[in-house]
Amino acid sequence: MRARAGRAALMTTVAVVTALVGCAGHRLDNGVYRSEHGYRVTVPGPGWTVVERSQADLELRRADGRAGMLAAATCRPATARQRYSDLSRHLLLGLRDRETLEENETSLVGRRGVHVVVEGRMRDSAERVRIESYTVKDGRCVYDLLYVAPPVSFESSRGDFGHFVGSFAPER
């Protein structure tokens, strides 16, 4: 019963986050996703499946349902001009009892960005989730890469998320 509640909390978290970051179609070619927003990422391995009808550019779920990750871009000049602190606050909207575990500036493919790891509860859930995100931007778009899992299993797929983040590359 506890595992089912944890999966429900995870799926609710991913659904809320994907609703906040936008929508697009999914195009995979040999495990590589190419976004209409001018970037690509690679599915980190066979243990991950594409979530159809996601509002994110690409949403992946681990086969056992205990973790998820996504890539999304918001391409509006007004959004791209926002401060990283405002973008992070918007991305994590709905997460209560939040505790920031890591927060630092980062560089991803030569673009300045922010890396955050937080833990908290979704509005309607008692289960805690841990979220790791990378946000980078250019003059046109904000790019979010996000990983979500229960704290007890967070580390088990964090390496896969590292590969996912490392595969992010602009194509314009």
Side-chain angles (χ1 to χ4, degrees):
M1 182 70 153
R2 183 171 169 80
R4 192 175 305 161
R7 276 194 292 279
L10 171 66
M11 291 178 1
T12 299
T13 301
V14 171
V16 168
V17 171
T18 58
L20 293 173
V21 295
C23 62
H26 309 288
R27 291 175 299 286
L28 279 177
D29 182 27
N30 293 320
V32 177
Y33 170 77
R34 286 183 163 75
S35 170
E36 64 187 26
H37 300 297
Y39 71 92
R40 73 174 186 268
V41 290
T42 302
V43 175
W48 294 89
T49 58
V50 175
V51 175
E52 297 300 327
R53 297 185 193 104
S54 173
Q55 292 185 359
D57 291 345
L58 176 67
E59 181 181 342
L60 303 171
R61 188 157 302 131
R62 202 168 76 184
D64 66 4
R66 297 290 293 162
M69 63 179 78
L70 64 83
T74 304
C75 296
R76 291 189 295 271
T79 303
R81 287 191 299 269
Q82 290 183 2
R83 297 181 317 223
Y84 281 104
S85 59
D86 294 336
L87 294 170
S88 287
R89 196 169 30 254
H90 178 77
L91 186 65
L92 300 171
L93 194 68
L95 191 66
R96 63 185 175 85
D97 302 329
R98 186 179 345 182
E99 177 185 357
T100 301
L101 305 175
E102 297 176 36
E103 184 173 17
N104 53 351
E105 284 190 20
T106 190
S107 177
L108 195 56
V109 292
R111 295 178 183 182
R112 192 177 141 265
V114 66
H115 168 242
V116 177
V117 179
V118 297
E119 190 173 305
R121 302 175 205 286
M122 291 308 296
R123 275 189 199 127
D124 300 326
S125 176
E127 296 290 324
R128 294 188 70 76
V129 294
R130 191 169 290 173
I131 300 172
E132 181 170 13
S133 70
Y134 286 84
T135 300
V136 295
K137 61 183 180 173
D138 56 25
R140 197 176 62 80
C141 298
V142 175
Y143 307 93
D144 293 300
L145 304 172
L146 191 103
Y147 168 60
V148 181
V152 297
S153 60
F154 184 81
E155 292 299 327
S156 67
S157 293
R158 195 173 187 191
D160 285 349
F161 182 61
H163 292 297
F164 186 70
V165 170
S167 74
F168 174 82
E171 292 196 315
R172 289 185 185 166

